[in-house]
Amino acid sequence: MDLDLLLQLVKNGVVLGLLYGLFAYGLSLIMAATGIFHLAHGLALVATAYSFWWLFAVAGLGAVVATVLSLAVGGVVGVGVELLVYRPLRRAGAGHMAQLVASLSVLTLGQSLLELGFGSDAKAVPPTAFLDWTVAVGPLVIRSWDLLVLAASVVVFVALYVLQTRTPVGLSFRAVGDNAVRAETLGIRIQRTYLWVFLVGSVVAAMPGVLLAVQTPTRPSMGFELLVMAVIALVIGGVGSMPGALLGGIVIGLVESVAAFRLPTEWAHLVLFALLFVFLVARPHGLTRATVRHA
């Protein structure tokens, strides 16, 4: 019986880790290309979750249409922060600390506005026949949501790999992140690249927003909560690396889930932050050696 429970917790941890990995890689992509610690990344997720809830549960749109429109909202949030906050700060010669404070302010203000507009109570999407089923595979109980998370993760990570290795836009992300001044001398339009980075990174962050909205009640604070997990995932996995973000996400998903096997639930975060401390001291570059290089 204990073994069956452990296997179930491992499965839950992997699924949760895939969500963390998706969100973390969207943040990593932006950080690696721009050098900005983009705390407002959490706003793209929570705005997407609220958009999906409203479009699907209130407006009555189909799941596919609601998903597409919600992902667009996440992308618009990211691009809007770049155009209205970061770009003016760069023109004014603001340093990284000013950008960090501005990003935190945007996240806090955005969450407050969502709470003001939708209320502080959690918003739940009603169950649908498509998502309301499970199947037993040996001792494991597989939910339709588990398969949805797995499928979305595979599609997004494959699409991102193709984008960054086979397209001029994706290749410009790496060039700007390595050395923005040199990239500009090679004819890469830096400001346009930043727009693409924020659009792609925010849409990637929006995907977990939709996935969480269909499974758990949406709350204004969920963006910040996922942001904390994403930062831990990047410290463990390595900033700027797709495998690092995925691996870091799965590690913390497993730790958070499996810790409940022998410890009280409230101890899970203690174990997680203890692991974070170990990596900061012993392996600060993470499990991979990708780092943010921005000049």
Side-chain angles (χ1 to χ4, degrees):
M1 184 63 68
D2 282 351
L3 180 58
D4 291 351
L5 175 59
L6 179 60
L7 289 174
Q8 190 67 36
L9 290 173
V10 168
K11 186 270 297 180
N12 293 343
V14 171
V15 173
L16 189 60
L18 290 173
L19 278 178
Y20 290 155
L22 276 175
F23 187 67
Y25 190 64
L27 176 62
S28 176
L29 192 66
I30 293 172
M31 290 175 62
T34 69
I36 298 173
F37 191 27
H38 181 47
L39 296 179
H41 198 57
L43 182 59
L45 179 140
V46 70
T48 300
Y50 271 102
S51 297
F52 182 84
W53 164 78
W54 190 87
L55 291 168
F56 183 74
V58 179
L61 297 181
V64 174
V65 175
T67 297
V68 171
L69 293 178
S70 300
L71 294 178
V73 168
V76 168
V77 169
V79 171
V81 174
E82 157 63 12
L83 289 175
L84 300 177
V85 180
Y86 296 140
R87 184 168 294 187
L89 286 174
R90 284 196 299 270
R91 288 173 177 168
H96 290 299
M97 181 56 69
Q99 294 173 340
L100 176 65
V101 173
S103 185
L104 178 60
S105 300
V106 169
L107 173 60
T108 305
L109 177 62
Q111 290 186 163
S112 298
L113 290 175
L114 286 171
E115 185 172 356
L116 182 64
F118 294 104
S120 58
D121 58 310
K123 308 297 184 184
V125 172
T128 64
F130 174 68
L131 290 173
D132 194 22
W133 60 265
T134 60
V135 60
V137 180
L140 295 181
V141 176
I142 307 295
R143 300 168 295 179
S144 54
W145 186 73
D146 298 334
L147 300 178
L148 187 62
V149 171
L150 177 61
S153 300
V154 170
V155 170
V156 171
F157 277 115
V158 169
L160 285 173
Y161 177 79
V162 172
L163 174 71
Q164 293 184 84
T165 59
R166 299 289 187 269
T167 69
V169 170
L171 292 172
S172 71
F173 294 175
R174 184 181 302 174
V176 171
D178 286 340
N179 191 309
V181 175
R182 184 175 61 189
E184 195 166 23
T185 64
L186 294 175
I188 296 175
R189 297 174 62 179
I190 303 298
Q191 302 304 325
R192 185 172 67 178
T193 298
Y194 285 165
L195 283 179
W196 274 108
V197 168
F198 275 96
L199 176 62
V200 173
S202 299
V203 170
V204 172
M207 181 61 72
V210 173
L211 293 170
L212 286 170
V214 301
Q215 179 68 17
T216 61
T218 298
R219 309 177 314 278
S221 62
M222 66 188 298
F224 182 79
E225 294 166 1
L226 264 290
L227 182 68
V228 172
M229 295 301 179
V231 171
I232 298 175
L234 293 183
V235 171
I236 293 175
V239 179
S241 166
M242 183 185 296
L246 180 59
L247 183 58
I250 290 176
V251 167
I252 65 173
L254 286 171
V255 170
E256 187 178 15
S257 181
V258 175
F261 184 62
R262 293 299 184 190
L263 297 172
T265 305
E266 59 270 17
W267 282 64
H269 281 184
L270 174 62
V271 175
L272 193 57
F273 279 95
L275 180 64
L276 172 64
F277 179 78
V278 170
F279 268 89
L280 286 172
V281 173
R283 198 176 177 88
H285 54 73
L287 295 172
T288 65
R289 287 193 168 272
T291 57
V292 175
R293 300 180 299 274
H294 187 74

